Amino acid sequence: MLENLNDDCLKELTSSLIFGLREYAKRCYFKKFLVALSGGIDSALVLAIAHLAKQEDFEVEAIYMPGKFSSGLSYELATKMCQNLNIPLRIINIKFFHQSIRHEYSQSMRLALEGISDE
C-alpha cells in the first residue's frame, strides 16, 4: 500500500489534514493549539500539521514535559523542531509530579508502579 503513495497522494493527504484541523478549530472557536512534544515522531507530526494549518489569527505553541525517563535526545529534538518552525516552546519539569503520582498510586492501590506503567 505504501508503494502507492506518490507525491500527488501525499499532497492530497497533507491538504486534507490541514483542512480538517482548520475546520475543527473554526467550528470549536479555537484560536490556539498547544502540542505536547515528546521528541518522538508522533508528536512531531502533530506539531508539523498544526504549523501548516496555522492561519493569521491562529497560534501554535509547544510544551515539553521532561520527567524521570526523558532522554537528552528527546529535549534536543523537541527544541530543534520548535526552532525550525519558529514555534514557542515551554518546558515544565514533571519529575516531582511523577513522584507524587507514584506515591498516591501505591497508597491507594497497594501496588507499586513498575516497568512501562511507571514510565
Side-chain angles (χ1 to χ4, degrees):
M1 181 175 161
L2 290 177
E3 58 273 358
N4 296 331
L5 290 177
N6 59 31
D7 285 347
D8 289 336
C9 288
L10 293 174
K11 286 179 185 174
E12 185 175 343
L13 179 62
T14 304
S15 295
S16 298
L17 289 168
I18 291 168
F19 175 78
L21 187 56
R22 283 181 179 164
E23 286 299 303
Y24 179 73
K26 185 170 111 181
R27 290 174 191 221
C28 295
Y29 303 101
F30 292 158
K31 295 292 182 185
K32 184 179 196 175
F33 276 111
L34 178 64
V35 178
L37 287 182
S38 65
I41 190 70
D42 51 346
S43 61
L45 183 58
V46 170
L47 186 65
I49 293 166
H51 175 72
L52 291 171
K54 189 171 104 171
Q55 294 179 313
E56 191 172 305
D57 61 340
F58 190 81
E59 292 180 60
V60 177
E61 286 190 26
I63 187 168
Y64 178 71
M65 298 180 286
K68 178 180 177 181
F69 299 100
S70 301
S71 73
L73 180 59
S74 294
Y75 171 75
E76 290 173 32
L77 293 171
T79 301
K80 187 169 187 170
M81 179 147 191
C82 288
Q83 288 171 343
N84 288 343
L85 297 177
N86 197 28
I87 293 175
L89 175 65
R90 299 184 189 282
I91 300 167
I92 300 175
N93 191 319
I94 61 168
K95 186 168 107 175
F96 300 110
F97 295 127
H98 179 247
Q99 290 172 349
S100 178
I101 289 169
R102 287 182 83 204
H103 176 74
E104 290 298 320
Y105 183 87
S106 69
Q107 293 297 310
S108 64
M109 303 300 282
R110 303 210 192 300
L111 294 169
L113 282 175
E114 297 175 342
I116 194 75
S117 297
D118 192 26
E119 290 183 36

